Amino acid sequence: MMKKRSYIVSPKVQLNGLASKTYDVVIVGAGIAGMSVALSLNPKLKVALMSKEEIDESSTYKAQGGMAISIGANDSPEKHIADTLHVGRGLCRQPAVEVLIREGAKALEFLESLGTNFNHDENGICLSREAGHSENRIVHYYDYTGRHIAESMAAKVAERSNIDLFHHCFLVDILTKDQQCNGCIVENSGELMVLHASEVVIATGGYSGLFARSTNTMTANGDGIAAAYRAGAVIADMEFVQFHPTAFTTNAGKVFLLTEALRGEGAYLLNDAGKRFMLDYHPSGELAPRDEVARGIVNEMKLNNTDVVYLDARHMGGKYLADRFRQVYSELVQNGYHMERDLIPIAPAAHYTIGGILTDLLGKSTLLHLYACGEAASTGVHGANRLASNSLSEGVVFGRRVAHAINTEFHKTDLVAVIDMEGERVWYSTDIKKLGQDLARVAGVLRKGEELSSLLETLKCEIEDEKNSMESVQGYQACNACQLAELLLEAALFRRESRGTHYRADYLARNDVDFNKHTVQQWGRRAALQ
Ligand code: SIN
């Protein structure tokens, strides 16, 4: 079938007919990263903050664990840096890790200054443990830290008169002129609208919602990354998808995260025969790095021919569980499970995506005036595997860095009405639900070259000849999903080794000779042209 590439709104005539607004800064995405930017920008700047859905759909809102901050009496930033580098398996960008960890305590202060609380006891702030950490260092608010942070930040955003907040606003494409970003096109309440902006910040989150089983909602499907790719920004590390070991499936078929803090505080994993198996795979048992736990679980499911293994928290006591893990506890009760009584069936699910828009330490992408932060960005802090609870602090630390760069360097761009967008959009006939199942099967915890390449070929063949009915948010999302799936599959095929979250059954060993660099292959028009 002929590959048809169709421009969506680039012809100038079409743009001229659209409603438009002008801002100093447009921030796409209102999770922890986007709101950190918005609340740290100079209040003299006129800002648009756009959210695709309501606040409770964001990945921030769903984050249970907390933020890893090395403030404990026996802890130090050096220990936290060492843990992050160890779990990242040789691919972390060390300067980015240093920034993340050393600015963590300031990020915590920033959140506290916005009214966010964290659990305290008689000894001060409570620090819990998660996999891969050598010390207790996760600050949390019960088991709904993300929701609490998101609500506190949203309340502050609402007080800022320089910030216009748009809900249900979908990023269609990023606009460029002379290879510089100068705004974006969004769909708001069924209407396309041009937002002219001197600076655009992408904080749209990751793409784990592309997978059939994900702890995120389907809305986490990487729209900002796909738009940045079409605009010519370099995209990196797409193969690294982190699978959370312990995801429960609700009666309604929804995947629900069971926070790692449960294992951090003593819960075990049992196989179908009731055996505690993780110690057979790793000396740290249930608290081995997440990739190792996910692979251990998948292996046990294969050996026992089951779809699940079990989380056992029965020994932790109902009173404690119902208080400390109140959100998880009540969701499980609604689904007929009592943690003090029952084994809880779990299986891994796509949870966090490491790849995204390549940025420097100030969140600048390779496209002038386009920034990225949070899960949408590839800062290099996570390498091949993210250390648990490093991502909320990443959103704050790098979000604030983006704001600082804009505050320092801002000058109004001459925003001309004629926009010369270069982005291209490919329309696919792929069934997105099926793509999610295929990705989970082929690009999940265990991968094989043959299967990756066959799915990539299928995807490339399913290019639509006609775009017509696809021009809707649903159609745009489907295009984005397919473009990102292509990038992910290409990256996974290219990386002929096993490392961190990327495990190739046909290349079991880590290959330091060919792949021990931060970014081995980057995807983006600019990279392709160089
Ligand atoms: C969890 O609560 O297990 C998630 C924490 C994280 O992904 O960092």
Side-chain angles (χ1 to χ4, degrees):
M1 190 174 282
M2 279 284 292
K3 191 162 178 160
K4 175 159 179 156
R5 294 189 180 272
S6 51
Y7 288 89
I8 184 175
V9 278
S10 62
K12 294 161 193 166
V13 244
Q14 289 188 39
L15 275 185
N16 288 343
L18 298 178
S20 71
K21 287 184 182 230
T22 301
Y23 286 93
D24 295 323
V25 186
V26 168
I27 304 166
V28 191
I32 193 167
M35 288 198 281
S36 293
V37 180
L39 292 168
S40 307
L41 281 170
N42 182 337
K44 290 193 180 128
L45 296 175
K46 183 132 187 60
V47 178
L49 176 63
M50 304 191 317
S51 147
K52 187 154 88 170
E53 300 287 345
E54 294 297 328
I55 181 179
D56 60 351
E57 285 288 307
S58 74
S59 305
T60 299
Y61 193 91
K62 293 189 180 311
Q64 294 177 4
M67 291 200 339
I69 312 284
S70 34
I71 49 174
N74 299 321
D75 205 358
S76 66
E78 287 69 30
K79 283 187 184 172
H80 189 177
I81 289 168
D83 290 345
T84 304
L85 295 176
H86 174 72
V87 166
R89 302 280 186 258
L91 287 194
C92 293
R93 197 168 147 218
Q94 184 144 354
V97 174
E98 299 262 349
V99 161
L100 171 71
I101 309 297
R102 297 198 189 281
E103 294 179 17
K106 280 240 157 1
L108 178 63
E109 271 172 33
F110 170 71
L111 290 178
E112 285 175 330
S113 77
L114 299 175
T116 306
N117 298 311
F118 294 93
N119 286 145
H120 283 68
D121 63 16
E122 59 286 359
N123 301 316
I125 196 159
C126 298
L127 299 172
S128 56
R129 176 79 64 107
E130 287 182 7
H133 291 274
S134 57
E135 293 290 340
N136 284 19
R137 59 168 74 104
I138 318 298
V139 300
H140 56 271
Y141 189 70
Y142 299 99
D143 63 342
Y144 51 98
T145 315
R147 176 172 130 200
H148 177 58
I149 292 175
E151 286 171 348
S152 312
M153 295 183 99
K156 290 292 174 199
V157 164
E159 289 171 9
R160 293 285 175 96
S161 58
N162 67 317
I163 303 174
D164 285 351
L165 180 61
F166 295 85
H167 281 300
H168 303 288
C169 199
F170 180 82
L171 172 68
V172 176
D173 264 311
I174 291 165
L175 297 170
T176 57
K177 179 166 169 49
D178 302 333
Q179 300 204 335
Q180 301 190 19
C181 169
N182 62 0
C184 55
I185 299 173
V186 298
E187 214 250 28
N188 193 208
S189 311
E191 297 293 328
L192 288 176
M193 179 166 65
V194 175
L195 295 180
H196 302 283
S198 300
E199 315 291 341
V200 173
V201 182
I202 302 296
T204 44
Y207 46 94
S208 66
L210 298 180
F211 286 76
R213 265 181 73 75
S214 169
T215 59
N216 291 244
T217 60
M218 274 179 73
T219 56
N221 57 0
D223 297 314
I225 302 171
Y229 169 65
R230 288 191 294 276
V234 170
I235 307 299
D237 295 340
M238 290 295 287
E239 65 275 42
F240 295 114
V241 176
Q242 183 168 66
F243 292 83
H244 198 289
T246 57
F248 170 77
T249 306
T250 67
N251 293 338
K254 201 174 87 183
V255 174
F256 183 78
L257 176 67
L258 299 185
T259 177
E260 190 154 303
L262 275 160
R263 277 173 288 131
E265 294 184 27
Y268 308 135
L269 292 173
L270 304 182
N271 67 12
D272 206 44
K275 180 182 170 213
R276 194 175 161 197
F277 58 86
M278 261 321 293
L279 284 163
D280 297 347
Y281 293 90
H282 196 281
S284 302
E286 283 83 358
L287 288 182
R290 226 171 243 186
D291 58 324
E292 313 246 11
V293 181
R295 277 196 296 279
I297 292 174
V298 167
N299 203 41
E300 287 297 310
M301 294 191 319
K302 271 195 170 163
L303 289 175
N304 294 297
N305 200 16
T306 53
D307 292 332
V308 293
V309 295
Y310 299 93
L311 186 81
D312 184 2
R314 292 172 300 180
H315 52 286
M316 292 168 72
K319 197 156 172 280
Y320 177 73
L321 289 165
D323 180 50
R324 165 70 176 92
F325 298 102
R326 41 188 76 181
Q327 175 173 267
V328 161
Y329 189 89
S330 102
E331 180 86 29
L332 287 172
V333 168
Q334 281 167 39
N335 283 276
Y337 289 88
H338 290 78
M339 280 198 279
E340 70 279 18
R341 185 189 72 194
D342 302 314
L343 292 178
I344 314 297
I346 53 99
H351 177 61
Y352 184 90
T353 45
I354 290 171
I357 304 163
L358 187 73
T359 62
D360 67 10
L361 299 182
L362 294 173
K364 293 180 181 180
S365 79
T366 54
L367 198 61
L368 212 56
H369 303 295
L370 181 73
Y371 291 79
C373 52
E375 198 176 346
S378 173
T379 54
V381 292
H382 307 304
N385 189 22
R386 181 180 63 101
L387 184 66
S389 285
N390 262 356
S391 47
L392 288 177
S393 42
E394 183 192 8
V396 179
V397 166
F398 286 92
R400 281 168 60 74
R401 285 188 148 243
V402 165
H404 179 72
I406 294 176
N407 290 342
T408 318
E409 297 170 21
F410 185 80
H411 62 274
K412 266 197 198 307
T413 311
D414 184 17
L415 294 166
V416 282
V418 177
I419 296 166
D420 170 24
M421 192 180 88
E422 294 174 25
E424 58 196 354
R425 183 180 282 278
V426 184
W427 299 96
Y428 297 77
S429 57
T430 309
D431 168 356
I432 293 308
K433 213 164 158 202
K434 169 141 188 336
L435 177 63
Q437 288 158 355
D438 287 342
L439 280 176
R441 179 177 50 80
V442 167
V445 175
L446 307 180
R447 299 168 170 180
K448 279 196 197 118
E450 254 171 58
E451 292 177 357
L452 292 166
S453 117
S454 141
L455 181 56
L456 182 61
E457 279 316 302
T458 310
L459 196 57
K460 283 188 168 164
C461 288
E462 293 184 354
I463 306 283
E464 279 274 28
D465 267 340
E466 298 298 326
K467 59 173 183 162
N468 44 49
S469 62
M470 305 276 284
E471 287 195 10
S472 62
V473 167
Q474 217 186 353
Y476 303 144
Q477 281 181 322
C479 292
N480 290 344
C482 293
Q483 280 192 318
L484 293 175
E486 271 196 38
L487 295 179
L488 191 164
L489 292 167
E490 280 171 8
L493 266 169
F494 179 80
R495 186 172 285 282
R496 290 182 299 280
E497 65 161 352
S498 290
R499 186 194 292 259
T501 61
H502 172 71
Y503 189 86
R504 291 263 311 247
D506 48 347
Y507 289 95
L508 289 174
R510 171 169 154 174
N511 177 350
D512 282 341
V513 175
D514 294 332
F515 294 101
N516 206 12
K517 288 190 238 155
H518 164 55
T519 301
V520 175
Q521 175 124 323
Q522 302 164 345
W523 280 260
R525 185 179 311 113
R526 183 163 297 184
L529 289 176
Q530 280 164 356

